Amino acid sequence: MSLPRTSKCGAARRDGHRRPLGRAAAVVLAAALACSATVLPAGAANAAEAARKPSPDAGHSIRGGISEQNFYFVMADRFNNGSPANDTGGLGTDPLVSGFEPTRKGYYNGGDLKGLQDRLDYIKGLGTNALWLTPSFKNKAVQGGGQLDNSSAGYHGYWVTDFTQIDPHLGTNAELKSLIDAAHSCGMKVYFDIIANHTADVIQYRETASAPYISKATEPYRSASGEAFDDHDYAGTQTFPALDAATSFPYTPFVPDAEKDVKVPAWLNDPTLYHNRGNTNFAGEDSTYGDFFGLDDLFTEQPRVVNGMVDIYTGWIRDFGIDGFRIDTMKHVNDEFWQQFGPQVLSYAKAHGKDEFFMFGEVFDTSKAITSKYTTRNRMQAVLDFGFQGAARSFASQSSKASGLQDFFGGDDWYTDADSNVYQLPTFLGNHDMGRIGMFISQDNAGASDAELVKRDDLAHELMYFSRGNPVVYYGDEQGFTGAGGDQDSRQPMFASKVQEYLDDDLLGTPATHATANFNTGHPLYRKIKELAALTKEHPALRDGAQQQRYAAEGAGIYAFSRTGATEQREYLVALNNSETTQTAAVPTYRANAGFKRIYGDAAKDLTTAADSTLKVTVPPLSAVVYRAVDKLPTSTAAPTVTLGKPVTAAADSTRMKVSAAVDGKSFNEVSFEARVPGGDWQRIGVDDNAPYQVFHDVSALAAGTTVEYRAVVLDNAGHTASSEVRTGTVGEPTQPDTVTVAGSLNSELGCSADWQPGCAQAGMSYDPTHRLWLLRVPELPAGHYEFKAALNGSWDENYGAGGEPNGPNIALDHPGGGVTFIYDHSTNVIRSAYAGQQPAAVSVPGSLDSELGCAGDWMPDCAQAQLAYDPADGAWKLSVANLPAGSYEFKAAINNSWAENYGLGGAANGSNILLNHAGGPVTFRYDPASHLITAG
């Protein structure tokens, strides 16, 4: 029996006090810095300087309603069937026309918007306050080869033909409005999944049906008059050359007569508004310009496309009261599009009463240097935290080293800028593309009991709810859904299924199957998620308090962090244990001799910190505990001293400056970072509320060689402020020295005639342009105590010691014997040594080249053809490929056949993908286990 049309959860919406972000008023800081450098007469300049300096500009780390969302992500076709009358979308009974075939996982199964509204009580019961729908616009019902087995339907919502209408399989525009109104009455916001990258596959090419990608270098775009041009020169402007479908593109696009008017709005039917370069390989240039498996890729560099998309989506805000957007395939659209789209849409929403309107994008990447670009340079509010998904799986499902979480959260400051930070990011454990957390846990722990699998699932959700970000529950995870993989295998209906592949699934925490509906509010995972949501609502610091890392075991064991609200000033300590035995750790806190009370988990009720401020915490296996300080933090009597470090070019992105500060003491502080070009006004570039205090300033709009001044201002918990001295940094990749030498007491062991020789060739380092690092690999260094420094250009005139300080102290190396790698980064002047511990069992090179190596697909860390072999002669892992086709590829190093441990650019854990522009022919991949650097050459 279906529920009444109006949901029972009719409580009035609660709008608590929030601090909005003010994104509409944001400016690109680097441009503001450049524009503010007005040259004044000497006297006027001095007066202006005095006027700018009276009081340091201290601020608070940004929070707001968008750091308090508990999302429920649902695929409307797979949730609940409220009206069987719309199952075929009015297209008849033939599944190859209507797309409705409930026995097949790749076709419409029957869910709709009415079904969602009928189950709002169930969704609200999880503690949900934000409902996120997959794209619900009218789709091309079926695409493919013309038969059931080689075709599929648009139930997932990404083959849009009409951006103004709800797909008839899901209901009507009026039913969407009814759902939104009902959700609002339940205290839930509604987020729409939207697309700006592509439409349904309608455009065809006269030359070919397969359409391999043709690069701009091979065939540039041409204006209607035949003149070659670079579209990037016009991106972000309101001008663009006129185009002609017959002559402007590498392929000749046309629209079949039967579909010439199928797209709405009508401007989408113009084939010159698409890139028309063929199918993407998801790497390099074609990642932005290529068609996704034939889907028509919009020419988002054109102002007509930008303006058209803004009009489409502001219309949904105006007419339906949508609360925000999740944006599909953001990585595959040019930066200039987002720099216009985001601010315009947000400004419109705020002007229409949506003060907390929130947009977050899909950037399928785990590197924070890459994903953070969309919230800093590209002016969007947030991105989905794909890195968190990998780190959470590694910790909770694979029981990898707890320090992996420390490495992951240690990069959060990449997201800090003047009007956004990492606290806004939606975090998740699985999704409709990659697969469910239940599936990952089942695969990672084959043979484990159901009780253990549920405990690991609980642990993953505890990490997600207690750590920074906005948690996202993928529908069905609360019922223990698993599946056999990603994509269609992770899209099971909540109602009784007729799909055989789903009926074979073994659900976690229940004897139920997909043969019956699964809306069991007594399921252990449903109850756990409900409990976590209730606890974080009762203790808001667990949702938006400053997150300070406290402890991480080197292996499986305890990872601990604290959350502290800036207003409440009370420390919460969260400790999670991913080992299968009880673990105890002395966890640092802010205060000595302070009482803590347990508010969550199975552990001692009351604890007191020791004289060294550590709290001895015992955590049962595969579980979490949370303690709350009895008293608030003591009020500071005077501002602490703040010292600014040397601003340097960020190792993972030469268009960002890493700016860091040290603060005396260990109480709760907030550090504001400011920047200016000499003679200009100070501009805030971000506020950090946890140590180490740092920001990664986007300076991409400034010319290489530009000098930028920085200062830091600390705000303590009593409102006192203090400012650092001003330090300068220089924009752009530093000019590399001619030579770098590891000069030290080890030189004679390296074959030099004596020690401490800055010009010894045997101690010379080699420059790696891919990683922008200088390297010296020593296959065998005798055991012993050594000291060394970096000497530049063969003399002591320029040398760097500990901490990258000029003429700094010697660096000590107590070496056990064997291979060692020395690494020098000229952007920071830091030189360090690294030597491998136990060799991993396996090293692979997952990337966009895996299919070319013979793997079943790309980015496969367990593919046999992508495995490197250990070469004991020089202590490195190698893979030689006889003939890699020409192309642009991306890759990383994966350890032990999984993503649990992986290394990217600069040898960074979970680092950026490494780009390889290959001319074709042989290539050798080399992984150094000491430095974690992987290279191709």
Side-chain angles (χ1 to χ4, degrees):
M1 184 176 76
S2 67
L3 294 174
R5 183 73 172 102
T6 301
S7 175
K8 292 185 239 179
C9 56
R13 180 182 178 187
R14 181 182 65 85
D15 285 317
H17 178 69
R18 302 293 203 293
R19 192 167 6 150
L21 293 182
R23 167 70 72 168
V27 296
V28 178
L29 179 60
L33 291 176
C35 292
S36 67
T38 304
V39 178
L40 300 174
N46 291 337
E49 178 70 10
R52 281 193 288 268
K53 278 189 168 179
S55 60
D57 185 15
H60 293 287
S61 178
I62 292 167
R63 298 296 190 277
I66 58 175
S67 61
E68 301 170 3
Q69 304 296 287
N70 294 332
F71 284 95
Y72 190 74
F73 172 36
V74 61
M75 183 168 283
D77 178 66
R78 302 301 168 93
F79 188 71
N80 188 41
N81 196 351
S83 176
N86 61 28
D87 285 351
T88 65
L91 298 175
T93 59
D94 183 352
L96 283 173
V97 176
S98 72
F100 177 67
E101 177 47 82
T103 67
R104 289 179 175 266
K105 61 184 179 180
Y107 289 78
Y108 285 99
N109 280 193
D112 51 31
L113 298 180
K114 182 181 183 303
L116 268 171
Q117 184 168 339
D118 289 346
R119 292 285 187 178
L120 284 180
D121 285 324
Y122 169 87
I123 298 171
K124 176 73 173 178
L126 278 169
T128 302
N129 60 9
L131 179 62
W132 160 18
L133 307 177
T134 50
S136 303
F137 307 115
K138 185 176 181 180
N139 264 236
K140 193 170 187 178
V142 180
Q143 292 187 176
Q147 299 177 347
L148 283 175
D149 289 340
N150 61 14
S151 301
S152 59
Y155 69 94
H156 47 17
Y158 296 103
W159 301 344
V160 181
T161 55
D162 187 343
F163 286 82
T164 69
Q165 182 184 163
I166 292 298
D167 192 284
H169 295 84
L170 306 181
T172 64
N173 287 18
E175 285 175 317
L176 173 67
K177 187 66 167 66
S178 177
L179 170 64
I180 293 171
D181 290 345
H184 285 172
S185 74
C186 294
M188 284 188 284
K189 297 179 180 179
V190 179
Y191 289 81
F192 233 27
D193 206 323
I194 67 170
I195 304 158
N197 178 64
H198 59 264
T199 70
D201 183 10
V202 173
I203 295 174
Q204 306 298 312
Y205 299 138
R206 297 197 184 279
E207 291 82 1
T208 179
S210 60
Y213 186 80
I214 299 176
S215 71
K216 293 201 295 181
T218 302
E219 286 286 346
Y221 286 115
R222 297 184 181 277
S223 67
S225 61
E227 182 178 355
F229 71 95
D230 186 349
D231 61 288
H232 189 71
D233 294 339
Y234 299 90
T237 74
Q238 287 298 309
T239 62
F240 205 84
L243 303 179
D244 186 329
T247 59
S248 294
F249 303 95
Y251 289 109
T252 308
F254 73 98
V255 177
D257 289 342
E259 296 183 302
K260 66 178 182 178
D261 297 318
V262 72
K263 295 180 185 179
V264 180
W267 62 266
L268 290 164
N269 294 302
D270 181 352
T272 68
L273 296 177
Y274 298 82
H275 281 131
N276 299 319
R277 288 197 165 273
N279 292 321
T280 182
N281 293 309
F282 301 98
E285 174 193 300
D286 66 51
S287 178
T288 304
Y289 288 85
D291 296 341
F292 275 44
F293 307 106
L295 297 174
D296 300 346
D297 198 68
L298 281 158
F299 209 147
T300 46
E301 291 78 8
Q302 293 196 42
R304 189 177 174 194
V305 175
V306 178
N307 299 334
M309 283 292 163
V310 170
D311 288 345
I312 286 171
Y313 292 121
T314 54
W316 285 97
I317 299 170
R318 179 190 64 240
D319 297 337
F320 294 88
I322 291 288
D323 299 291
F325 295 139
R326 178 268 192 186
I327 305 172
D328 183 61
T329 53
M330 181 177 277
K331 183 180 180 181
H332 303 286
V333 176
N334 60 297
D335 294 345
E336 297 84 0
F337 179 91
W338 303 121
Q339 291 162 5
Q340 298 172 89
F341 180 89
Q344 289 185 45
V345 171
L346 187 60
S347 177
Y348 183 94
K350 289 182 180 295
H352 286 73
K354 292 289 183 180
D355 290 337
E356 293 180 359
F357 194 84
F358 181 46
M359 291 179 284
F360 55 99
E362 177 206 31
V363 183
F364 201 156
D365 202 298
T366 60
S367 166
K368 293 180 181 179
I370 292 175
T371 54
S372 66
K373 177 184 73 172
Y374 293 87
T375 66
T376 53
R377 183 180 312 163
N378 287 357
R379 307 179 68 188
M380 300 299 294
Q381 291 165 287
V383 292
L384 281 163
D385 197 346
F386 278 88
F388 175 85
Q389 191 279 331
R393 176 190 177 182
S394 177
F395 179 80
S397 180
Q398 298 170 331
S399 288
S400 61
K401 55 186 182 182
S403 58
L405 284 180
Q406 187 176 51
D407 292 340
F408 170 74
F409 287 116
D412 281 355
D413 291 324
W414 278 95
Y415 291 98
T416 303
D417 67 5
D419 59 0
S420 63
N421 56 37
V422 76
Y423 294 97
Q424 299 164 215
L425 268 57
T427 52
F428 66 101
L429 300 171
N431 65 22
H432 61 315
D433 289 327
M434 62 172 48
R436 297 182 176 276
I437 184 61
M439 181 269 292
F440 294 130
I441 289 172
S442 298
Q443 289 184 351
D444 294 339
N445 301 276
S449 67
D450 183 67
E452 178 185 335
L453 301 181
V454 171
K455 283 181 70 68
R456 290 186 180 276
D457 205 311
D458 286 347
L459 181 62
H461 281 90
E462 288 163 342
L463 174 62
M464 181 170 69
Y465 271 83
F466 293 146
S467 61
R468 91 296 185 270
N470 296 288
V472 178
V473 173
Y474 179 41
Y475 85 96
D477 283 359
E478 77 280 6
Q479 296 295 329
F481 286 11
T482 55
D487 199 70
Q488 295 179 7
D489 288 321
S490 62
R491 301 170 180 177
Q492 301 86 346
M494 297 284 284
F495 52 87
S497 179
K498 299 178 182 179
V499 176
Q500 186 58 49
E501 293 95 329
Y502 297 157
L503 297 177
D504 293 339
D505 290 352
D506 184 11
L507 281 62
L508 305 185
T510 176
T513 70
H514 288 294
T516 60
N518 286 278
F519 293 98
N520 177 16
T521 57
H523 191 288
L525 290 172
Y526 185 99
R527 288 188 283 110
K528 174 58 66 176
I529 294 170
K530 180 178 182 177
E531 178 187 11
L532 295 173
L535 185 71
T536 57
K537 182 178 181 181
E538 181 181 356
H539 300 278
L542 292 173
R543 282 269 35 88
D544 61 10
Q547 179 168 314
Q548 180 67 60
Q549 300 203 79
R550 294 300 191 186
Y551 177 89
E554 282 302 315
I558 291 176
Y559 173 70
F561 56 91
S562 63
R563 305 295 304 268
T564 306
T567 302
E568 184 186 8
Q569 287 291 305
R570 194 186 306 269
E571 184 174 13
Y572 289 77
L573 190 71
V574 178
L576 308 104
N577 176 17
N578 72 341
S579 79
E580 297 183 30
T581 59
T582 297
Q583 298 287 310
T584 300
V587 180
T589 70
Y590 282 126
R591 301 175 58 204
N593 305 313
F596 280 79
K597 287 187 175 294
R598 171 178 53 81
I599 63 170
Y600 179 84
D602 181 12
K605 291 184 178 180
D606 298 284
L607 296 175
T608 303
T609 58
D612 65 354
S613 301
T614 59
L615 190 70
K616 190 175 182 180
V617 179
T618 298
V619 189
L622 301 177
S623 65
V625 298
V626 182
Y627 285 91
R628 180 177 185 260
V630 174
D631 300 314
K632 295 183 177 182
L633 294 174
T635 301
S636 174
T637 58
T641 300
V642 57
T643 305
L644 195 68
K646 176 187 176 183
V648 297
T649 300
D653 184 352
S654 61
T655 66
R656 307 277 283 272
M657 295 290 290
K658 180 180 178 181
V659 190
S660 58
V663 177
D664 288 348
K666 56 179 182 178
S667 187
F668 177 84
N669 299 295
E670 297 174 273
V671 176
S672 298
F673 292 89
E674 298 178 320
R676 69 177 183 181
V677 294
D681 293 324
W682 288 107
Q683 302 281 338
R684 184 179 297 169
I685 58 173
V687 181
D688 194 7
D689 58 8
N690 60 84
Y693 302 101
Q694 58 187 0
V695 294
F696 291 83
H697 180 210
D698 178 17
V699 291
S700 58
L702 296 176
T706 301
T707 296
V708 183
E709 296 180 339
Y710 293 97
R711 72 176 180 182
V713 184
V714 63
L715 174 69
D716 69 12
N717 68 351
H720 305 120
T721 64
S723 183
S724 73
E725 293 294 322
V726 174
R727 299 196 68 171
T728 62
T730 303
V731 173
E733 185 69 17
T735 302
Q736 297 294 332
D738 294 330
T739 64
V740 179
T741 304
V742 181
S745 61
L746 69 161
N747 285 168
S748 56
E749 282 80 2
L750 300 183
C752 304
S753 59
D755 289 335
W756 297 101
Q757 291 193 355
C760 174
Q762 291 91 330
M765 308 183 80
S766 298
Y767 183 63
D768 180 347
T770 298
H771 296 282
R772 301 195 296 273
L773 298 172
W774 290 79
L775 307 172
L776 173 63
R777 297 183 177 93
V778 180
E780 186 67 35
L781 181 68
H785 175 81
Y786 302 95
E787 294 183 356
F788 64 94
K789 303 176 78 172
L792 275 56
N793 301 321
S795 77
W796 288 112
D797 292 345
E798 184 177 358
N799 70 87
Y800 299 94
E805 288 300 315
N807 301 303
N810 298 340
I811 302 162
L813 168 61
D814 290 303
H815 189 52
V820 61
T821 298
F822 294 91
I823 306 153
Y824 172 74
D825 183 349
H826 193 52
S827 69
T828 62
N829 305 128
V830 170
I831 185 170
R832 61 188 174 90
S833 62
Y835 50 88
Q838 184 179 359
Q839 291 288 345
V843 177
S844 59
V845 55
S848 60
L849 55 108
D850 284 356
S851 55
E852 282 79 4
L853 300 183
C855 304
D858 288 333
W859 299 101
M860 297 181 64
D862 57 350
C863 170
Q865 292 90 332
Q867 300 295 314
L868 283 69
Y870 182 61
D871 182 356
D874 65 358
W877 293 73
K878 299 176 181 178
L879 171 64
S880 294
V881 180
N883 187 20
L884 181 66
S888 180
Y889 303 98
E890 295 178 6
F891 66 93
K892 302 178 81 171
I895 309 302
N896 298 332
N897 295 320
S898 82
W899 286 113
E901 183 177 358
N902 70 86
Y903 300 96
L905 189 66
N910 300 304
S912 306
N913 297 343
I914 301 164
L915 181 64
L916 169 63
N917 290 313
H918 188 54
V923 62
T924 296
F925 295 92
R926 188 185 192 282
Y927 171 74
D928 177 9
S931 63
H932 302 305
L933 295 171
I934 184 168
T935 56

